[in-house]
């Protein structure tokens, strides 16, 4: 449609230009041709197609982890002895909702504070009580007391997968699989225990005042099955 209108206007312009400049000497003004209007066509509309909601819906994605001190790599422990670096690496976390993601982040934060306490042989009780209460807190405090008594501390890294999270109202449960290079050492850096390459953790959490807290956690020296 736009091409036909353009050609008509171009022809009209040529006629007007010829008339303005005059034709041969003594000739009268050339008659101006009136262009035939081009009919305007209404745009063709494609009938709307009914698409099932299931075909167009996008699965909801939970927000990404915002836990400090947690990295996303490397994805597996390096070869060789445990690193003196103390760090927690988050790998695969299966969270289908914001609440599941929040519960997972609480467990990750607890894992960070637990490892930092063992590394420093000192508990940041205020920070720990923000993400845990009861048994998970006393478990860390008890291990730190033992490290202090032995004059040991922990070094190394942990890689965390959380393949299962369930939230029912204000209660959540999760299972975590951990690759572990952490080990207790003495003041000279000598190993004080046999390395445990794999851990399995199960945790129960409760939500209160808008925040999740661990109320029970168990770490087992075994690979997830």
């Amino acid at each position: 449609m736009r091409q036909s209108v353009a050609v008509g206007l171009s022809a009209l312009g040529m006629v007007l230009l010829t008339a303005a400049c005059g034709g041969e000497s003594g000739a009268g003004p050339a008659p101006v041709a009136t262009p035939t209007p081009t009919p305007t066509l209404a745009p063709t509309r494609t009938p709307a197609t009914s698409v099932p909601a299931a075909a167009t819906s996008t699965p909801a994605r939970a927000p990404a982890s915002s836990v400090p001190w947690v990295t996303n790599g490397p994805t597996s422990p390096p070869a060789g002895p445990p690193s003196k670096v103390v760090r927690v690496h988050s790998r695969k976390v299966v969270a289908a909702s914001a609440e599941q993601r929040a519960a997972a982040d609480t467990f990750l934060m607890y894992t960070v504070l637990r490892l930092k306490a063992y590394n420093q042989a000192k508990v940041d009780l205020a920070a720990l009580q923000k993400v845990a209460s009861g048994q998970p807190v006393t478990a860390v405090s008890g291990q730190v007391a033992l490290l202090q008594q032995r004059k040991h501390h922990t070094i190394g890294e942990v890689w965390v997968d959380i393949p299962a999270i369930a939230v029912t109202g204000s209660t959540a449960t999760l299972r975590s699989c951990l690759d572990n290079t952490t080990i207790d050492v003495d003041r000279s850096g000598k190993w004080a225990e046999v390395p445990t390459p794999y851990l399995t953790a199960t945790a129960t959490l409760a939500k209160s005042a808008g925040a999740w807290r661990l109320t029970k956690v168990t770490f087992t020296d075994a690979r997830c099955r």
Side-chain angles (χ1 to χ4, degrees):
M1 179 178 72
R2 292 181 179 178
Q3 185 176 3
S4 300
V5 173
V7 171
L9 293 176
S10 178
L12 175 59
M14 290 298 294
V15 171
L16 293 176
L17 181 61
T18 304
C21 296
E24 297 181 2
S25 176
V32 178
T34 302
T36 302
T38 303
T40 302
L41 300 178
T44 303
R45 295 188 177 183
T46 304
T49 303
S50 177
V51 180
T56 59
S57 61
T58 302
R61 291 186 179 182
S65 173
S66 59
V67 176
W69 309 307
V70 172
T71 75
N72 293 321
T75 57
S76 60
S83 170
K84 292 183 179 180
V85 173
V86 177
R87 191 169 293 143
V88 174
H89 306 282
S90 175
R91 290 190 301 194
K92 185 176 181 181
V93 176
V94 178
S97 68
E99 289 294 349
Q100 289 185 1
R101 178 76 255 186
D105 284 350
T106 301
F107 176 79
L108 284 168
M109 191 70 234
Y110 175 80
T111 305
V112 168
L113 294 172
R114 175 178 180 266
L115 182 54
K116 289 185 70 177
Y118 295 170
N119 173 253
Q120 298 171 3
K122 180 180 179 181
V123 182
D124 185 345
L125 194 58
L128 193 60
Q129 289 177 336
K130 289 182 180 179
V131 296
S133 62
Q135 178 265 335
V137 175
T138 57
V140 173
S141 299
Q143 180 62 21
V144 167
L146 189 60
L147 289 168
Q148 291 173 344
Q149 179 184 345
R150 294 174 176 175
K151 296 180 172 53
H152 292 168
H153 65 281
T154 303
I155 61 171
E157 302 170 88
V158 178
W159 284 258
V160 183
D161 293 333
I162 305 178
I165 310 172
V167 175
T168 304
S170 59
T171 302
T173 57
L174 64 80
R175 178 171 59 90
S176 178
C177 306
L178 303 92
D179 285 354
N180 176 58
T181 66
T182 66
I183 191 168
D184 292 350
V185 297
D186 62 19
R187 289 182 174 178
S188 66
K190 184 179 178 180
W191 291 11
E193 63 176 350
V194 177
T196 303
Y198 305 106
L199 296 169
T200 298
T202 56
T204 302
L205 303 92
K207 189 174 184 181
S208 177
W212 288 100
R213 286 181 177 82
L214 272 75
T215 56
K216 183 178 180 181
V217 65
T218 302
F219 288 87
T220 305
D221 297 349
R223 192 169 193 171
C224 280
R225 299 183 181 220

